[in-house]
Amino acid sequence: MNRLVHAIAISVLALSLAPVAADAAPHKRVAKKEAHASIVKRARVSKTYTVPRSPMVARQSRSIVRLAPAKPSFGEMAGLHATQDELDLRSSVALVIDQDSNEILLRKNDSAVLPIASITKLMTGLVISEAKLPMDEAVTISQDDVDTEKFTGSRLRVGATLTRGELMQLALMSSENRAAHALGRTYPGGLNAFVEAMNSRAKLLGMNDTKYVEPTGLSSRNQSSAQDLARLVAFASNDPMLRELTTTPERQVEVGNRTMQFHTTNRLVKNPAWEIGLQKTGYIAEAGQCLVMQAKVAGRKLIMVFLDSAGKLSRIGDAERVRKWVETHSPSGLPSPNTIIRQVNG
């Protein structure tokens, strides 16, 4: 009897403990899963912050990037952009002259002396052209031609060999800095003699506000005024070589075993609405966007100078504004310069 009671008691006790044992294993597995999930979650959170994946986090990361403010041009620092004009030009300096009559159609801060960037290359081309150097002579790009002023790149590698004529084309059409520097470096007497020749030619043209220190325009110390540059454009437009090289839309050049395609920096050259005889563009931060041209508009040969223009395409826009303005006015109907553009001496 006692054995029967003892056996029943053990059975009851086992049955009562069975659910507890059955629940214990799942709880243990759940705990392990929760612990694993917690580790994974912490890892994912850590990874998310380290390498942002979600668009929101990416946007937040980008939003904290701070860009350096744009470097102001010399014209901006001088307050020339505050000058208002009736054509709403974006250039702080402008001058438009009838080449045949020397009549000034438009002027704006035209005596201000500013950096002229790659407009410099027009004088570089003029000096080389007048020197009558052989255009088929081979010239090799050297380490001396690498830009140490602005650290700009170039498609012309050190060691590349081209003819002087090809370097002239690339300097005047595509504003190739190494090409322009190589032209000056290989001038008889070297680079110093070339820069001296540039300044001497400027003086002979009456460009008394102009100074050159190198042949590319990368230096902000290359400076001039719109009045001086108008004299240069008027004279250079009579040089057949400069006319051709500055108005060529594109050209293929063999450099070693490669054929390279170069294009004009002035989109107006390809525009059938324009009849351009000579042109040159330029840009460095200190000079802003620059453009000089000799072009026939409404039957008149015009000299146009635009300096220190704000915005990548603004110099082109200014030229278009002037063209449309001249085309919609007869010569006798054009207002006088003093009523069209307020003259401000910089």
Side-chain angles (χ1 to χ4, degrees), residues 85-122:
D85 63 80
E86 295 182 21
L87 296 187
D88 195 26
L89 300 177
R90 297 293 304 280
S91 303
S92 72
V93 171
L95 182 62
V96 179
I97 300 175
D98 186 305
Q99 187 174 5
D100 292 327
S101 66
N102 289 323
E103 178 188 3
I104 297 176
L105 304 183
L106 180 154
R107 67 196 312 170
K108 177 182 179 182
N109 296 331
D110 58 313
S111 62
V113 178
L114 298 173
I116 57 173
S118 286
I119 305 300
T120 296
K121 294 182 177 75
L122 195 54

Side-chain angles (χ1 to χ4, degrees), residues 123 126 200-208 228 231-232 235:
M123 179 60 82
L126 178 62
S200 296
R201 197 69 188 88
K203 292 299 181 184
L204 288 175
L205 289 173
M207 300 170 64
N208 297 321
D228 279 8
R231 293 186 180 94
L232 174 60
F235 186 85

